[in-house]
Protein backbone atom coordinates (compact mmCIF):
# COMPACT_ATOMS: atom_id res chain seq x y z
CA UNK A 1 0.00 0.00 0.00
CA UNK A 2 1.07 3.56 -0.65
CA UNK A 3 0.18 6.96 0.80
CA UNK A 4 0.31 9.86 -1.68
CA UNK A 5 0.68 13.56 -1.00
CA UNK A 6 -0.11 15.66 -4.07
CA UNK A 7 0.60 19.39 -4.07
CA UNK A 8 -0.97 21.53 -6.81
CA UNK A 9 -1.86 25.20 -7.25
CA UNK A 10 -5.20 26.03 -5.65
CA UNK A 11 -6.64 26.85 -9.07
CA UNK A 12 -6.05 23.22 -10.16
CA UNK A 13 -7.46 21.60 -7.05
CA UNK A 14 -10.81 20.76 -8.60
CA UNK A 15 -9.13 18.97 -11.49
CA UNK A 16 -7.37 16.65 -9.06
CA UNK A 17 -10.52 16.05 -7.04
CA UNK A 18 -12.55 15.25 -10.15
CA UNK A 19 -10.06 12.52 -11.11
CA UNK A 20 -10.08 11.04 -7.62
CA UNK A 21 -13.87 11.15 -7.42
CA UNK A 22 -14.15 9.33 -10.74
CA UNK A 23 -11.85 6.60 -9.40
CA UNK A 24 -13.79 6.31 -6.13
CA UNK A 25 -10.75 7.26 -4.03
CA UNK A 26 -11.13 8.81 -0.58
CA UNK A 27 -8.89 11.77 0.15
CA UNK A 28 -8.21 14.74 2.44
CA UNK A 29 -7.60 18.27 1.11
CA UNK A 30 -5.87 21.15 2.90
CA UNK A 31 -4.83 24.60 1.73
CA UNK A 32 -1.27 25.53 2.67
CA UNK A 33 1.13 28.38 2.12
CA UNK A 34 4.14 27.88 -0.12
CA UNK A 35 6.90 30.20 0.99
CA UNK A 36 4.76 33.31 1.19
CA UNK A 37 1.91 34.57 3.27
CA UNK A 38 -0.58 33.76 0.55
CA UNK A 39 -2.34 30.42 0.57
CA UNK A 40 -1.89 29.40 -3.05
CA UNK A 41 -1.40 25.64 -2.89
CA UNK A 42 -3.67 22.70 -2.18
CA UNK A 43 -2.35 19.47 -0.70
CA UNK A 44 -4.32 16.30 -1.38
CA UNK A 45 -3.53 13.24 0.73
CA UNK A 46 -4.86 9.78 -0.11
CA UNK A 47 -4.13 6.06 0.44
CA UNK A 48 -3.82 3.83 -2.64
CA UNK A 49 -3.25 0.16 -3.38
CA UNK A 50 0.22 -0.32 -4.86
CA UNK A 51 -1.25 -1.39 -8.18
CA UNK A 52 -3.35 1.80 -8.37
CA UNK A 53 -0.47 4.29 -8.05
CA UNK A 54 0.64 4.17 -11.67
CA UNK A 55 -2.80 4.44 -13.36
CA UNK A 56 -3.94 7.19 -10.99
CA UNK A 57 -0.79 9.26 -11.59
CA UNK A 58 -1.16 8.70 -15.33
CA UNK A 59 -4.75 10.00 -15.19
CA UNK A 60 -3.60 13.09 -13.33
CA UNK A 61 -0.90 13.68 -15.92
CA UNK A 62 -3.41 13.27 -18.75
CA UNK A 63 -5.51 15.92 -17.01
CA UNK A 64 -2.64 18.39 -17.38
CA UNK A 65 -1.09 18.05 -13.93
CA UNK A 66 2.45 17.06 -14.96
CA UNK A 67 3.79 19.91 -12.81
CA UNK A 68 2.16 18.59 -9.62
CA UNK A 69 4.49 17.58 -6.79
CA UNK A 70 3.84 13.99 -5.74
CA UNK A 71 5.33 12.22 -2.74
CA UNK A 72 4.81 8.45 -2.49
CA UNK A 73 5.19 6.88 0.96
CA UNK A 74 4.97 3.23 2.03
CA UNK A 75 1.91 2.57 4.20
CA UNK A 76 1.74 -0.28 6.69
CA UNK A 77 -2.04 -0.63 6.84
CA UNK A 78 -5.23 1.24 6.01
CA UNK A 79 -8.47 0.63 7.92
CA UNK A 80 -11.26 1.76 5.63
CA UNK A 81 -14.16 0.03 3.92
CA UNK A 82 -13.83 2.24 0.86
CA UNK A 83 -10.14 1.44 0.62
CA UNK A 84 -10.90 -2.29 0.81
CA UNK A 85 -13.28 -1.91 -2.13
CA UNK A 86 -10.63 -0.03 -4.07
CA UNK A 87 -8.10 -2.77 -3.23
CA UNK A 88 -10.46 -5.42 -4.61
CA UNK A 89 -10.98 -3.36 -7.74
CA UNK A 90 -7.25 -3.27 -8.48
CA UNK A 91 -6.58 -6.86 -7.43
CA UNK A 92 -7.41 -8.15 -10.94
CA UNK A 93 -9.43 -11.19 -10.08
CA UNK A 94 -8.09 -11.77 -6.60
CA UNK A 95 -4.36 -11.23 -7.18
CA UNK A 96 -3.21 -8.68 -4.64
CA UNK A 97 0.53 -8.99 -5.23
CA UNK A 98 2.38 -5.73 -5.29
CA UNK A 99 3.48 -4.18 -8.57
CA UNK A 100 5.74 -1.19 -8.23
CA UNK A 101 4.56 1.79 -10.25
CA UNK A 102 6.62 3.07 -13.12
CA UNK A 103 7.41 6.28 -11.26
CA UNK A 104 8.63 4.42 -8.15
CA UNK A 105 10.54 1.93 -10.31
CA UNK A 106 12.62 4.72 -11.81
CA UNK A 107 13.36 6.07 -8.35
CA UNK A 108 14.40 2.65 -7.02
CA UNK A 109 16.68 1.97 -9.99
CA UNK A 110 18.31 5.36 -9.44
CA UNK A 111 18.65 4.79 -5.69
CA UNK A 112 20.49 1.49 -6.22
CA UNK A 113 23.01 3.27 -8.45
CA UNK A 114 25.54 4.90 -6.09
CA UNK A 115 27.65 7.95 -6.85
CA UNK A 116 30.54 7.30 -9.21
CA UNK A 117 33.15 7.74 -6.48
CA UNK A 118 31.55 5.20 -4.14
CA UNK A 119 30.89 2.90 -7.07
CA UNK A 120 34.55 2.88 -8.14
CA UNK A 121 35.88 2.42 -4.61
CA UNK A 122 33.56 -0.50 -3.89
CA UNK A 123 34.37 -2.12 -7.23
CA UNK A 124 38.11 -1.78 -6.59
CA UNK A 125 37.69 -3.52 -3.25
CA UNK A 126 35.53 -6.18 -4.86
CA UNK A 127 38.11 -6.72 -7.62
CA UNK A 128 40.93 -7.14 -5.10
CA UNK A 129 38.92 -9.63 -3.04
CA UNK A 130 37.79 -11.58 -6.13
CA UNK A 131 41.34 -11.76 -7.51
CA UNK A 132 42.70 -12.95 -4.18
CA UNK A 133 39.92 -15.52 -3.90
CA UNK A 134 40.53 -16.89 -7.38
CA UNK A 135 44.31 -17.06 -6.90
CA UNK A 136 43.94 -18.83 -3.56
CA UNK A 137 41.15 -21.06 -4.92
CA UNK A 138 38.84 -19.98 -2.08
CA UNK A 139 35.10 -20.06 -2.90
CA UNK A 140 34.28 -18.25 0.36
CA UNK A 141 36.48 -15.28 -0.53
CA UNK A 142 35.05 -15.14 -4.06
CA UNK A 143 31.53 -15.04 -2.62
CA UNK A 144 32.64 -12.18 -0.38
CA UNK A 145 33.66 -10.17 -3.43
CA UNK A 146 30.15 -10.59 -4.85
CA UNK A 147 28.46 -9.34 -1.68
CA UNK A 148 30.23 -5.97 -1.71
CA UNK A 149 29.89 -5.27 -5.44
CA UNK A 150 27.24 -2.51 -6.04
CA UNK A 151 26.05 -3.84 -9.40
CA UNK A 152 22.29 -4.21 -8.94
CA UNK A 153 21.35 -0.63 -9.83
CA UNK A 154 23.63 -0.20 -12.88
CA UNK A 155 22.75 -3.66 -14.19
CA UNK A 156 19.03 -2.84 -14.21
CA UNK A 157 18.95 0.94 -14.71
CA UNK A 158 19.62 0.68 -18.44
CA UNK A 159 16.66 -1.63 -19.05
CA UNK A 160 14.34 0.44 -16.85
CA UNK A 161 15.40 3.56 -18.75
CA UNK A 162 14.78 1.93 -22.13
CA UNK A 163 11.30 0.62 -21.31
CA UNK A 164 10.09 3.74 -19.50
CA UNK A 165 11.61 6.19 -21.99
CA UNK A 166 14.07 7.69 -19.47
CA UNK A 167 17.13 8.45 -21.62
CA UNK A 168 19.20 9.73 -18.71
CA UNK A 169 18.64 6.58 -16.65
CA UNK A 170 19.41 4.38 -19.66
CA UNK A 171 22.67 6.21 -20.39
CA UNK A 172 23.69 6.09 -16.74
CA UNK A 173 23.08 2.34 -16.60
CA UNK A 174 25.17 1.57 -19.67
CA UNK A 175 27.96 3.92 -18.58
CA UNK A 176 28.19 2.42 -15.09
CA UNK A 177 28.21 -1.15 -16.45
CA UNK A 178 31.00 -0.42 -18.92
CA UNK A 179 33.15 1.47 -16.43
CA UNK A 180 32.58 -1.18 -13.76
CA UNK A 181 33.74 -4.09 -15.93
CA UNK A 182 36.82 -2.18 -17.11
CA UNK A 183 37.76 -1.21 -13.54
CA UNK A 184 37.53 -4.79 -12.29
CA UNK A 185 39.61 -6.14 -15.18
CA UNK A 186 42.32 -3.49 -14.86
CA UNK A 187 42.50 -3.85 -11.06
CA UNK A 188 42.76 -7.64 -11.30
CA UNK A 189 45.52 -7.36 -13.91
CA UNK A 190 47.50 -5.15 -11.54
CA UNK A 191 47.05 -7.39 -8.51
CA UNK A 192 47.69 -10.60 -10.47
CA UNK A 193 50.86 -9.11 -11.98
CA UNK A 194 52.15 -8.32 -8.49
CA UNK A 195 51.29 -11.86 -7.39
CA UNK A 196 53.16 -13.35 -10.32
CA UNK A 197 56.21 -11.18 -9.82
CA UNK A 198 56.15 -12.21 -6.18
CA UNK A 199 56.37 -15.85 -7.18
CA UNK A 200 52.81 -16.76 -6.22
CA UNK A 201 51.85 -19.33 -8.84
CA UNK A 202 49.33 -21.85 -7.48
CA UNK A 203 49.18 -25.01 -9.50
CA UNK A 204 52.38 -24.18 -11.37
CA UNK A 205 52.73 -22.06 -14.49
CA UNK A 206 49.35 -23.25 -15.81
CA UNK A 207 47.36 -20.95 -13.54
CA UNK A 208 43.99 -22.15 -14.87
CA UNK A 209 44.28 -25.50 -13.10
CA UNK A 210 42.92 -23.61 -10.10
CA UNK A 211 39.31 -24.83 -9.88
CA UNK A 212 37.80 -21.37 -9.30
CA UNK A 213 39.51 -20.13 -12.47
CA UNK A 214 39.05 -23.13 -14.73
CA UNK A 215 35.27 -22.93 -14.77
CA UNK A 216 35.38 -19.28 -15.88
CA UNK A 217 37.99 -19.40 -18.66
CA UNK A 218 36.16 -22.16 -20.53
CA UNK A 219 32.46 -21.35 -19.91
CA UNK A 220 29.49 -23.37 -21.14
CA UNK A 221 25.84 -22.62 -21.85
CA UNK A 222 24.88 -23.01 -18.21
CA UNK A 223 26.57 -19.64 -17.65
CA UNK A 224 23.97 -18.03 -19.92
CA UNK A 225 21.17 -19.57 -17.86
CA UNK A 226 22.68 -18.12 -14.68
CA UNK A 227 22.92 -14.62 -16.15
CA UNK A 228 19.40 -14.75 -17.63
CA UNK A 229 18.08 -15.82 -14.25
CA UNK A 230 19.94 -12.96 -12.59
CA UNK A 231 18.35 -10.43 -14.96
CA UNK A 232 14.82 -11.73 -14.40
CA UNK A 233 15.31 -11.96 -10.62
CA UNK A 234 16.75 -8.44 -10.53
CA UNK A 235 13.69 -6.92 -12.17
CA UNK A 236 11.33 -8.94 -9.98
CA UNK A 237 13.19 -7.70 -6.91
CA UNK A 238 12.54 -4.10 -7.98
CA UNK A 239 8.96 -4.56 -9.13
CA UNK A 240 7.67 -7.03 -6.54
CA UNK A 241 9.59 -6.07 -3.41
CA UNK A 242 11.81 -9.16 -3.10
CA UNK A 243 15.20 -9.00 -1.39
CA UNK A 244 17.37 -6.75 -3.55
CA UNK A 245 20.54 -7.63 -1.60
CA UNK A 246 20.35 -11.33 -2.45
CA UNK A 247 19.61 -10.63 -6.12
CA UNK A 248 22.50 -8.16 -6.20
CA UNK A 249 24.84 -10.96 -5.14
CA UNK A 250 23.49 -13.12 -7.95
CA UNK A 251 24.17 -10.42 -10.53
CA UNK A 252 27.65 -9.83 -9.11
CA UNK A 253 28.30 -13.59 -9.31
CA UNK A 254 27.77 -13.41 -13.06
CA UNK A 255 30.12 -10.44 -13.55
CA UNK A 256 32.82 -9.99 -10.88
CA UNK A 257 34.62 -13.40 -10.86
CA UNK A 258 34.73 -13.71 -14.70
CA UNK A 259 36.07 -10.15 -15.00
CA UNK A 260 38.74 -10.90 -12.38
CA UNK A 261 39.58 -14.10 -14.29
CA UNK A 262 40.23 -11.98 -17.40
CA UNK A 263 42.78 -9.94 -15.46
CA UNK A 264 44.52 -12.95 -13.89
CA UNK A 265 44.92 -14.90 -17.12
CA UNK A 266 46.09 -11.75 -18.93
CA UNK A 267 48.75 -11.18 -16.26
CA UNK A 268 49.91 -14.77 -16.73
CA UNK A 269 50.09 -14.32 -20.51
CA UNK A 270 47.38 -16.92 -21.19
CA UNK A 271 45.49 -14.89 -23.76
CA UNK A 272 43.30 -17.74 -25.00
CA UNK A 273 42.01 -18.30 -21.47
CA UNK A 274 41.59 -14.53 -21.05
CA UNK A 275 39.50 -14.46 -24.23
CA UNK A 276 37.28 -17.23 -22.86
CA UNK A 277 36.71 -15.32 -19.62
CA UNK A 278 36.04 -12.09 -21.54
CA UNK A 279 33.45 -13.84 -23.70
CA UNK A 280 31.77 -15.01 -20.50
CA UNK A 281 31.72 -11.44 -19.14
CA UNK A 282 30.19 -10.02 -22.32
CA UNK A 283 27.65 -12.85 -22.58
CA UNK A 284 26.61 -12.33 -18.97
CA UNK A 285 26.20 -8.56 -19.42
CA UNK A 286 24.08 -9.10 -22.53
CA UNK A 287 22.05 -11.83 -20.82
CA UNK A 288 21.28 -9.70 -17.76
CA UNK A 289 20.22 -6.69 -19.86
CA UNK A 290 18.21 -8.81 -22.30
CA UNK A 291 16.37 -10.71 -19.56
CA UNK A 292 15.65 -7.51 -17.63
CA UNK A 293 14.35 -5.75 -20.74
CA UNK A 294 12.03 -8.60 -21.73
CA UNK A 295 10.77 -9.05 -18.16
CA UNK A 296 9.91 -5.36 -17.85
CA UNK A 297 8.09 -5.27 -21.17
CA UNK A 298 6.14 -8.45 -20.44
CA UNK A 299 5.22 -7.04 -17.02
CA UNK A 300 3.52 -4.15 -18.80
CA UNK A 301 5.87 -1.27 -18.03
CA UNK A 302 5.51 1.51 -20.57
CA UNK A 303 6.18 5.26 -20.71
CA UNK A 304 3.39 7.58 -19.67
CA UNK A 305 0.60 8.30 -22.10
CA UNK A 306 -0.79 6.52 -25.14
CA UNK A 307 1.21 8.56 -27.63
CA UNK A 308 4.50 7.80 -25.86
CA UNK A 309 4.24 4.04 -26.37
CA UNK A 310 5.06 3.73 -30.12
CA UNK A 311 8.25 5.86 -29.94
CA UNK A 312 9.44 3.85 -26.95
CA UNK A 313 8.39 0.51 -28.41
CA UNK A 314 10.79 1.00 -31.32
CA UNK A 315 13.98 1.52 -29.25
CA UNK A 316 12.86 -1.26 -26.89
CA UNK A 317 12.55 -3.68 -29.79
CA UNK A 318 15.81 -2.40 -31.25
CA UNK A 319 17.76 -2.95 -28.04
CA UNK A 320 16.07 -6.32 -27.58
CA UNK A 321 17.09 -7.46 -31.07
CA UNK A 322 20.66 -6.19 -30.65
CA UNK A 323 21.01 -7.92 -27.27
CA UNK A 324 19.45 -11.13 -28.60
CA UNK A 325 21.52 -11.36 -31.81
CA UNK A 326 24.79 -10.55 -30.01
CA UNK A 327 23.92 -13.11 -27.35
CA UNK A 328 23.28 -15.81 -29.95
CA UNK A 329 26.55 -15.08 -31.75
CA UNK A 330 28.61 -15.18 -28.55
CA UNK A 331 26.74 -18.22 -27.25
CA UNK A 332 27.97 -20.27 -30.22
CA UNK A 333 31.46 -20.92 -28.74
CA UNK A 334 29.84 -21.64 -25.39
CA UNK A 335 27.72 -24.27 -27.12
CA UNK A 336 30.93 -25.80 -28.50
CA UNK A 337 32.43 -25.99 -25.01
CA UNK A 338 29.21 -27.55 -23.71
CA UNK A 339 29.32 -30.18 -26.46
CA UNK A 340 32.94 -31.06 -25.65
CA UNK A 341 32.10 -31.41 -21.96
CA UNK A 342 29.18 -33.67 -22.84
CA UNK A 343 31.43 -35.79 -25.05
CA UNK A 344 34.01 -35.99 -22.27
CA UNK A 345 31.39 -37.17 -19.79
CA UNK A 346 30.10 -39.75 -22.26
CA UNK A 347 33.65 -40.87 -23.04
CA UNK A 348 34.44 -41.25 -19.34
CA UNK A 349 31.47 -43.56 -18.89
CA UNK A 350 32.44 -45.59 -21.95
CA UNK A 351 36.07 -45.76 -20.81
CA UNK A 352 35.05 -47.08 -17.40
CA UNK A 353 33.07 -49.86 -19.05
CA UNK A 354 35.91 -50.60 -21.47
CA UNK A 355 38.47 -50.80 -18.66
CA UNK A 356 36.26 -53.07 -16.58
CA UNK A 357 35.67 -55.30 -19.59
CA UNK A 358 39.39 -55.47 -20.38
CA UNK A 359 40.41 -56.19 -16.80
CA UNK A 360 37.92 -59.04 -16.66
CA UNK A 361 40.02 -60.95 -19.23
CA UNK A 362 42.42 -63.62 -17.90
CA UNK A 363 45.54 -61.75 -19.11
CA UNK A 364 44.72 -58.78 -16.85
CA UNK A 365 43.08 -60.56 -13.95
CA UNK A 366 45.73 -59.33 -11.48
CA UNK A 367 44.94 -55.65 -12.16
CA UNK A 368 42.34 -53.37 -10.62
CA UNK A 369 40.95 -50.10 -11.94
CA UNK A 370 41.93 -47.10 -9.80
CA UNK A 371 40.62 -44.22 -11.91
CA UNK A 372 39.64 -43.14 -15.41
CA UNK A 373 40.02 -39.50 -16.43
CA UNK A 374 39.31 -37.77 -19.73
CA UNK A 375 41.59 -34.73 -20.01
CA UNK A 376 41.14 -31.74 -22.30
CA UNK A 377 43.88 -29.83 -24.11
CA UNK A 378 45.03 -26.29 -23.25
CA UNK A 379 43.67 -24.58 -26.37
CA UNK A 380 41.42 -22.13 -24.52
CA UNK A 381 38.66 -21.19 -24.86
CA UNK A 382 37.59 -23.85 -27.40
CA UNK A 383 39.16 -26.94 -25.90
CA UNK A 384 38.95 -30.50 -27.21
CA UNK A 385 39.50 -33.97 -25.82
CA UNK A 386 43.21 -34.69 -25.41
CA UNK A 387 43.50 -38.19 -23.95
CA UNK A 388 42.04 -40.82 -21.69
CA UNK A 389 44.22 -41.52 -18.66
CA UNK A 390 43.60 -44.90 -17.01
CA UNK A 391 45.25 -45.78 -13.72
CA UNK A 392 45.37 -49.47 -12.72
CA UNK A 393 47.05 -51.18 -9.82
CA UNK A 394 48.45 -54.65 -9.33
CA UNK A 395 51.07 -56.69 -7.53
CA UNK A 396 53.15 -57.58 -10.59
CA UNK A 397 55.59 -54.97 -11.96
CA UNK A 398 55.75 -54.05 -15.62
CA UNK A 399 53.25 -53.38 -18.39
CA UNK A 400 50.23 -55.45 -19.27
CA UNK A 401 50.55 -55.90 -23.05
CA UNK A 402 47.54 -54.95 -25.12
CA UNK A 403 45.56 -53.27 -22.35
CA UNK A 404 45.75 -49.75 -23.78
CA UNK A 405 45.13 -51.05 -27.29
CA UNK A 406 42.08 -52.97 -26.07
CA UNK A 407 40.65 -49.87 -24.38
CA UNK A 408 41.38 -47.67 -27.38
CA UNK A 409 39.56 -50.02 -29.75
CA UNK A 410 36.39 -49.77 -27.68
CA UNK A 411 36.61 -45.97 -27.32
CA UNK A 412 37.07 -45.35 -31.04
CA UNK A 413 33.57 -46.65 -31.63
CA UNK A 414 32.20 -43.67 -29.66
CA UNK A 415 34.15 -40.83 -31.32
CA UNK A 416 35.27 -39.87 -34.80
CA UNK A 417 38.51 -38.29 -33.58
CA UNK A 418 41.72 -40.19 -32.79
CA UNK A 419 41.79 -41.32 -29.19
CA UNK A 420 44.97 -41.32 -27.12
CA UNK A 421 44.85 -43.82 -24.28
CA UNK A 422 47.43 -43.58 -21.53
CA UNK A 423 47.62 -46.42 -19.02
CA UNK A 424 49.46 -45.87 -15.76
CA UNK A 425 50.43 -48.81 -13.56
CA UNK A 426 50.71 -48.48 -9.82
CA UNK A 427 52.59 -51.45 -8.35
CA UNK A 428 52.11 -52.49 -4.72
CA UNK A 429 54.93 -54.27 -2.90
CA UNK A 430 55.18 -55.75 0.58
CA UNK A 431 57.84 -54.02 2.71
CA UNK A 432 57.18 -56.14 5.76
CA UNK A 433 55.08 -59.04 6.98
CA UNK A 434 52.06 -56.82 7.69
CA UNK A 435 52.54 -53.64 5.65
CA UNK A 436 51.84 -52.91 2.00
CA UNK A 437 53.42 -49.83 0.42
CA UNK A 438 52.72 -48.42 -3.03
CA UNK A 439 55.98 -48.14 -4.94
CA UNK A 440 57.00 -45.34 -7.29
CA UNK A 441 57.37 -47.56 -10.35
CA UNK A 442 54.98 -46.76 -13.19
CA UNK A 443 54.92 -47.96 -16.78
CA UNK A 444 52.84 -45.89 -19.22
CA UNK A 445 51.40 -47.02 -22.53
CA UNK A 446 50.10 -44.47 -25.02
CA UNK A 447 48.23 -45.47 -28.16
CA UNK A 448 46.86 -43.33 -30.95
CA UNK A 449 44.96 -44.34 -34.04
CA UNK A 450 47.38 -45.70 -36.68
CA UNK A 451 50.35 -45.27 -34.31
CA UNK A 452 51.55 -46.53 -30.93
CA UNK A 453 54.53 -46.16 -28.62
CA UNK A 454 55.47 -47.03 -25.07
CA UNK A 455 56.96 -44.78 -22.39
CA UNK A 456 58.49 -45.82 -19.10
CA UNK A 457 58.79 -43.14 -16.47
CA UNK A 458 58.93 -42.89 -12.68
CA UNK A 459 56.09 -41.40 -10.70
CA UNK A 460 56.84 -37.72 -10.05
Amino acid sequence: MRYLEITVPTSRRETVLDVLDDEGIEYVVTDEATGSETTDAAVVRLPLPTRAVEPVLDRLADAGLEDARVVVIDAQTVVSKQFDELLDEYSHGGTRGERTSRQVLRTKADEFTPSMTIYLVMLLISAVVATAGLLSDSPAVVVGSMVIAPLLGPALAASVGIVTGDDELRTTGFRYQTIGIVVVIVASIGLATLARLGGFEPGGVDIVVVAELEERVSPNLLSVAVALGAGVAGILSLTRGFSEAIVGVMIAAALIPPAAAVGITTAWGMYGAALGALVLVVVNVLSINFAALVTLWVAGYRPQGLFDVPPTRKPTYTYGVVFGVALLLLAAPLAGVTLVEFQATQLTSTANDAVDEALAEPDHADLERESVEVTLDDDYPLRSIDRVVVTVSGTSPGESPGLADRIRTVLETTTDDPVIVEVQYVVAEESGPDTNVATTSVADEQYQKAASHEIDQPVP
Side-chain angles (χ1 to χ4, degrees), residues 166-251:
D166 191 330
D167 294 339
E168 182 179 356
L169 188 60
R170 179 199 64 204
T171 303
T172 300
F174 283 136
R175 185 175 70 251
Y176 268 65
Q177 290 182 68
T178 304
I179 293 175
I181 295 301
V182 172
V183 166
V184 174
I185 292 176
V186 172
S188 61
I189 289 176
L191 184 60
T193 300
L194 292 176
R196 187 180 184 188
L197 293 177
F200 183 72
E201 297 186 2
V205 177
D206 188 6
I207 188 69
V208 295
V209 299
V210 177
E212 285 293 317
L213 270 173
E214 188 174 14
E215 64 187 53
R216 292 177 172 93
V217 299
S218 186
N220 55 33
L221 285 177
L222 293 178
S223 305
V224 179
V226 172
L228 289 173
V232 174
I235 289 301
L236 292 178
S237 70
L238 291 183
T239 61
R240 303 294 175 175
F242 298 150
S243 174
E244 292 90 356
I246 295 176
V247 177
V249 173
M250 185 177 181
I251 290 177

Side-chain angles (χ1 to χ4, degrees), residues 234-309:
I235 289 301
L236 292 178
S237 70
L238 291 183
T239 61
R240 303 294 175 175
F242 298 150
S243 174
E244 292 90 356
I246 295 176
V247 177
V249 173
M250 185 177 181
I251 290 177
L255 299 178
I256 295 297
V262 175
I264 293 173
T265 49
T266 300
W268 252 260
M270 302 186 66
Y271 302 115
L275 177 61
L278 182 61
V279 169
L280 177 59
V281 172
V282 176
V283 166
N284 285 349
V285 170
L286 290 172
S287 299
I288 291 172
N289 283 273
F290 179 75
L293 190 64
V294 172
T295 304
L296 282 169
W297 190 262
V298 170
Y301 285 95
R302 303 289 189 275
Q304 178 181 308
L306 176 64
F307 298 104
D308 292 333
V309 174

Side-chain angles (χ1 to χ4, degrees), residues 360-372:
E361 297 176 356
D363 293 342
H364 313 303
D366 59 332
L367 298 177
E368 293 184 1
R369 171 169 58 87
E370 293 294 329
S371 66
V372 176

